[in-house]
Amino acid sequence: MSSDRILEELARVLEARKQAAPDSSYVAGLYAKGLDAILKKVGEEATETVVAAKNGDPEQIVYETADLWFHCLVMLAHQGLGPEAVLAELGRRFGVSGIEEKASRAK
C-alpha cells in the first residue's frame, strides 16, 4: 500500500471495527473495553517509544512509534475523529514558529 494512503485506509478499518464483535479483533476488543483501556494502551506505547529512543536502536524506535501512532489512531476513532483532523492541525501550524504557535494558545 502506498504510504500516502495508509492513514486513510487504517482509519477506515478502525471505523469498521467499531461495529465488530469484541472477540473478532484486537481493536474491536479495545473499543468494547472503553476509553480508559484505549488511553492505557496509548500511555504504554508512549513509554515504550521513549525507552526505545533512549536505547537508540532505530529499528525498535520505528516499531514502537508505529505502535504508538496506531493506538493514537484508535483513540481518535473512538472519539469520533480521524487522522485528517490531526493532519489539518499540523498543516495549520506549518510555517508558524513554535514560539508563535504556543503564544496563540494562551489567548
Side-chain angles (χ1 to χ4, degrees), residues 3 7-8 13 35 41 52 70-71 78 81 86 93 101-103 105 107:
S3 61
L7 290 178
E8 180 181 323
V13 170
L35 182 60
K41 284 303 296 181
F70 177 83
H71 286 89
H78 186 271
L81 299 166
V86 177
R93 294 180 187 185
E101 196 282 326
K102 190 171 183 176
R105 286 188 265 160
K107 296 177 184 173

Side-chain angles (χ1 to χ4, degrees), residues 29-88:
L30 265 181
Y31 286 142
K33 291 177 186 173
L35 182 60
D36 286 348
I38 295 167
L39 296 176
K40 182 178 178 185
K41 284 303 296 181
V42 170
E44 289 171 8
E45 298 304 341
T47 299
E48 291 172 6
T49 302
V50 168
V51 170
K54 288 289 284 180
N55 290 338
D57 178 354
E59 187 175 310
Q60 199 63 28
I61 293 167
V62 169
Y63 182 87
E64 295 300 345
T65 301
D67 280 352
L68 176 58
W69 287 12
F70 177 83
H71 286 89
C72 286
L73 289 168
V74 172
M75 179 268 305
L76 286 168
H78 186 271
Q79 299 289 70
L81 299 166
E84 68 282 347
V86 177
L87 293 171

